[in-house]
Amino acid sequence: YPSTSKRFMIKHGFNDIANRRSLPKNFSPESSGFYYPQKPLQFDSLIANKNIIIICLDALRADVVTDSLMPGVMNHAKESGTIFNNHWSGGNSTKMGMFSIFYGIPPTYQQYVESNKVSSVLVNTMIDKNYSMGIYTSYKLYAPACLDITAFVKIPNLRLETKIDGPQDVYRKDSALTTEWKQWLDTIPTDKNFFGFLFYDVLSVEGYPPHYKSRIRINGSMNDMQKKFEHYKAGVQYLDSLTTAVLDDLKERDLLKNTIVMITSDHGEEYNENGLNFTGHGSAFSTIQMRTPMIVFDPGNGASTVTRRTSHYDIVPTLMQKGLGCTSPAKDYSSGSDLFSSEPWQWLIGGSYYNFAIIEPDKITVQFPGGYYETRDTSYHLINNPALSPYLTDALAEMGRFYRR
């Protein structure tokens, strides 16, 4: 990613990665016409603040969170969590998926936010409420998500990546992240609220410890993509062990009684299941790349399963209302609403690096630069002679709403 290169930093006057996080002088979003939030936020001081933890498993697609591949996480979920089994990201890539998690507005705003280093309303609120911040990522915060100069730009002494001695295997970094997280929790006073962000990376490289090879099931009838998917699933099982260890630790510390925990992903990962040669992520707005898991542990809700459509746009409103006591309407700072009370979305804006899509339950309209668009069905096959999406006007309005009052 060019903005992390030494040449870029020298050209733009950055002596090191940390200095690129310096906030612009004499800049406020409102002065340039960006109103996020649109109005000053209101809070109920009688609502007790909760600890907040977001566990993000890079590239974890929704359909692999099962009893067989992630038994530990599923056992916890069935005991005390809410499983949202029709949940969608706001993007098909790490940068756009993470943006929708922390900002709750369309990723079409991401470039502006990154260029001007506009912090997240969610993070700003926790800073104002004096939360301790535990940011633990396996890979670099500054590439490709650029969280160091967006959502976390106001957090001092930011931990930018996991550093380990010896072999630099991603699975070893993911393990070290888990250990460091637990050690950090040991330092937090019991009467102080905290925010935790754990971002695991092993699926992005289809990695896992050597002894997990015995879990791979490959036969001669499989093609190359199917074989790759089997390696991916071995990594899923390894992630289950780490995530379960985090949940077990929270339960042992008796923290789940006043902590909201969300387990999700930035995007899915495709292995040409539709037979159209779309693979990986960032290549299509297909169901496989856009759907992600979402499991929420909230002291105010028992074990349940939600089947209606939800999205990453609902994360910020849920945490602001249930965790931080915000009483302002969600539309003042987000495109979503509370996960537990919202109606299913009828359309969703999905973002990528150069285009966007309007996703509906039965079709996807992909918009390209220059005005060209195409419409695809839920299996991502092209629809001939499609009608324009009836939600096009609404989507365009949402992509400009935070640029004006």
Side-chain angles (χ1 to χ4, degrees), residues 12-247:
H12 293 273
F14 300 124
N15 294 322
D16 53 47
I17 290 293
N19 284 342
R20 74 192 278 265
R21 302 179 62 233
S22 300
L23 294 171
K25 293 182 179 179
N26 302 319
F27 170 83
S28 67
E30 295 82 0
S31 67
S32 59
F34 184 57
Y35 296 94
Y36 171 79
Q38 293 195 315
K39 300 175 183 177
L41 299 181
Q42 304 297 316
F43 296 86
D44 186 343
S45 60
L46 298 179
I47 297 177
N49 295 324
K50 296 177 183 176
N51 305 316
I52 295 172
I53 301 173
I54 298 176
I55 303 174
C56 189
L57 311 174
D58 192 356
L60 183 68
R61 48 193 272 176
D63 61 355
V64 298
V65 184
T66 62
D67 292 334
S68 59
L69 293 176
M70 301 194 77
V73 168
M74 289 301 293
N75 285 339
H76 275 282
K78 291 176 181 178
E79 177 183 325
S80 60
T82 302
I83 303 170
F84 294 85
N85 62 11
N86 197 1
H87 189 85
W88 295 64
S89 176
N92 62 10
S93 60
T94 295
K95 177 178 282 191
M96 302 311 177
M98 296 306 297
F99 183 83
S100 63
I101 286 175
F102 281 102
Y103 287 83
I105 60 177
T108 48
Y109 292 100
Q110 195 281 334
Q111 186 174 6
Y112 175 90
V113 166
E114 180 181 333
S115 297
N116 293 285
K117 302 178 182 177
V118 180
S119 181
S120 159
V121 163
L122 174 65
V123 176
N124 283 345
T125 301
M126 291 188 289
I127 291 174
D128 290 344
K129 290 177 175 287
N130 198 32
Y131 272 56
S132 292
M133 299 288 186
I135 312 300
Y136 289 85
T137 64
S138 179
Y139 193 61
K140 301 175 179 67
L141 265 182
Y142 48 87
C146 295
L147 290 172
D148 65 319
I149 55 174
T150 54
F152 303 145
V153 68
K154 292 185 178 179
I155 299 177
N157 305 314
L158 194 62
R159 179 186 182 279
L160 295 174
E161 60 186 297
T162 296
K163 297 181 179 180
I164 58 174
D165 296 327
Q168 298 297 299
D169 302 282
V170 176
Y171 78 84
R172 296 183 68 242
K173 290 188 175 183
D174 280 5
S175 178
L177 178 162
T178 307
T179 300
E180 290 183 40
W181 160 255
K182 294 178 183 179
Q183 293 171 344
W184 180 79
L185 273 184
D186 290 337
T187 69
I188 304 301
T190 57
D191 60 346
K192 185 174 177 60
N193 286 118
F194 66 84
F195 168 67
F197 176 58
L198 287 70
F199 192 17
Y200 291 95
D201 195 46
V202 73
L203 291 183
S204 68
V205 296
E206 294 170 6
Y208 42 80
H211 64 276
Y212 271 71
K213 288 183 179 179
S214 62
R215 304 184 181 215
I216 299 172
R217 301 290 181 263
I218 292 178
N219 59 59
S221 65
M222 292 179 174
N223 58 38
D224 288 343
M225 282 290 105
Q226 291 169 328
K227 292 176 182 178
K228 284 173 68 66
F229 188 38
E230 291 302 309
H231 285 275
Y232 170 91
K233 288 191 286 188
V236 171
Q237 295 174 73
Y238 176 61
L239 274 183
D240 179 64
S241 70
L242 298 180
T243 310
T244 301
V246 172
L247 294 175

Side-chain angles (χ1 to χ4, degrees), residues 339-355:
L339 280 165
F340 292 91
S341 62
S342 63
E343 294 296 320
W345 51 262
Q346 298 303 314
W347 57 274
L348 184 76
I349 298 172
S352 192
Y353 286 103
Y354 71 99
N355 61 348

